[in-house]
Amino acid sequence: MRRLPPRALLARTLCAAALAPGLASCGLLSDGAKAEGPALSAPAGVTAQAGSATSVHVMWNRPASTAEVEGYEVYRGGKRVKRLTARQHMVDVTGLAPKSRYVFTVRARGTDGSLGPAGPRVTVTTPAAVAEDRAAPTRPTGLRGEADGSRAVSLAWHRATDDRGVASYDIYQGATKIHSVGGKETRALVTGLRPGTAYAFSVRARDVADNTSAASGTLRLTTARGKGEQGPGTAPAEFEASARRAKGAYYLDLAWTPPRTGGEVPAYQVYLDGREATTVMWGEGAPADSATYSFYIDRKPHVTHRVKLRAQLPDGTWGAFSAERTVTTAAKRD
């Protein structure tokens, strides 16, 4: 089975499993910091989507730490381009050059003015500019969807048309834009919602020249009541696992279909025998239609293992687990 491409990064879990030699702790404080309270951590689930030839929509979720957040700062490369309040988790960065590559990061700002660490670097390329265009795309039609557990909804719509092409679709909750997906997408997974809550969603299409369509019809959905469980639509599908022996050791070969979130899924957690074994993280170009991964498990034959995995969602949280598979290492061959 094909391994991950070179751009993929593997980060092994140190705190939940065995600590590396010499590693004393995995706390948020540096050696010189004072333990006066929780330290800010990096914003989670940072994504960037080109909205037009001159704008990029950046989204993120609040940090996992319990430290109080006063606001956020968005950086393009090393330059701060936006300073926002704690209630804002997305922003359109405008005035960009067409057909250009940009790198964005986000940092949380504490109530004392200090900045937490930067979130992951996300890269996006704006599309090429077009000749003067004042015609907006047609409005998206056929908006439909369903609640996916108590924290998410799955939306789908019919493709809009535009004489120069649709660059992105913006999802609105009431009058507020809450999400954005690429112009080739006709569905989105909206996460981070509250259990047992009624929502009203609509979709608008945007072209390369930043012309925005009229809103689709309004879709009203209510999330399920519960304790915040993720729905089945957030889980990787068609998950398969098999064991193989190579050079005296056994490896697990995994294959799955990423959940349809409307964008790239940047990371997966793999659980082996009920415990987190590893986190697989992609750089640019995370697989959209199918994914594979292989990793070492043991040198012993006739050992049975249980394996499952889950995906990181657009808001930085983890989705529902895939089906669990059972594999057994085969006998040694002479």
Side-chain angles (χ1 to χ4, degrees):
M1 181 173 289
R2 182 171 60 85
R3 290 178 179 272
L4 288 177
R7 62 175 173 267
L9 303 176
L10 170 63
R12 291 199 172 274
T13 302
L14 298 178
C15 297
L19 292 175
L23 184 62
S25 69
C26 296
L28 295 172
L29 298 176
S30 62
D31 292 340
K34 297 180 180 180
E36 297 177 347
L40 280 173
S41 59
V46 182
T47 61
Q49 170 66 49
S52 69
T54 59
S55 66
V56 168
H57 187 65
V58 184
M59 299 175 285
W60 62 92
N61 195 41
R62 66 161 288 117
S65 68
T66 58
E68 188 174 351
V69 176
E70 189 269 338
Y72 296 97
E73 297 188 359
V74 179
Y75 292 80
R76 186 184 71 226
K79 180 182 178 181
R80 188 180 73 191
V81 293
K82 294 287 183 179
R83 185 180 172 96
L84 307 164
T85 68
R87 298 183 62 182
Q88 295 174 277
H89 292 159
M90 61 187 68
V91 67
D92 280 322
V93 180
T94 59
L96 304 178
K99 207 173 181 178
S100 299
R101 180 177 180 271
Y102 293 96
V103 178
F104 292 94
T105 54
V106 182
R107 302 177 72 177
R109 188 175 62 252
T111 53
D112 62 353
S114 63
L115 290 173
R121 292 160 54 90
V122 292
T123 303
V124 62
T125 300
T126 53
V130 297
E132 184 177 0
D133 179 10
R134 297 182 180 179
T138 61
R139 67 196 295 254
T141 59
L143 180 61
R144 58 203 182 276
E146 60 183 1
D148 193 354
S150 57
R151 289 288 188 181
V153 298
S154 178
L155 304 177
W157 56 89
H158 297 312
R159 196 179 304 277
T161 59
D162 184 79
D163 58 345
R164 305 296 173 83
V166 175
S168 62
Y169 290 96
D170 297 327
I171 293 92
Y172 286 76
Q173 178 189 318
T176 304
K177 183 167 68 175
I178 60 169
H179 195 51
S180 184
V181 299
K184 295 182 179 180
E185 294 287 341
T186 55
R187 63 176 64 199
L189 183 70
V190 180
T191 60
L193 305 179
R194 295 180 179 179
T197 303
Y199 292 93
F201 298 99
S202 61
V203 178
R204 295 175 182 262
R206 193 165 17 152
D207 66 16
V208 174
D210 240 346
N211 298 306
T212 302
S213 75
S216 68
T218 299
L219 177 66
R220 300 183 186 279
L221 295 172
T222 301
T223 52
R225 296 184 181 277
K227 297 180 179 180
E229 298 86 354
Q230 300 288 9
T234 65
E238 300 176 321
F239 177 55
E240 299 295 338
S242 59
R244 63 180 169 87
R245 188 168 184 264
K247 298 181 180 180
Y250 291 97
Y251 295 81
L252 273 186
D253 292 337
L254 311 179
W256 67 91
T257 300
R260 297 295 299 271
T261 66
E264 293 184 344
V265 177
Y268 295 86
Q269 285 181 335
V270 181
Y271 277 66
L272 187 66
D273 300 328
R275 299 182 63 187
E276 184 182 346
T278 188
T279 299
V280 183
M281 301 182 67
W282 267 270
E284 295 180 56
D289 299 320
S290 61
T292 60
Y293 180 64
S294 298
F295 69 105
Y296 166 84
I297 51 171
D298 208 340
R299 289 184 174 273
K300 299 178 181 179
H302 307 299
V303 178
T304 299
H305 295 282
R306 296 173 291 108
V307 61
K308 60 184 178 181
L309 78 163
R310 59 182 179 176
Q312 189 176 46
L313 302 178
D315 66 352
T317 61
W318 296 99
F321 279 105
S322 68
E324 187 173 72
R325 304 302 182 193
T326 301
V327 296
T328 302
T329 55
K332 293 182 179 179
R333 294 180 180 178
D334 296 329

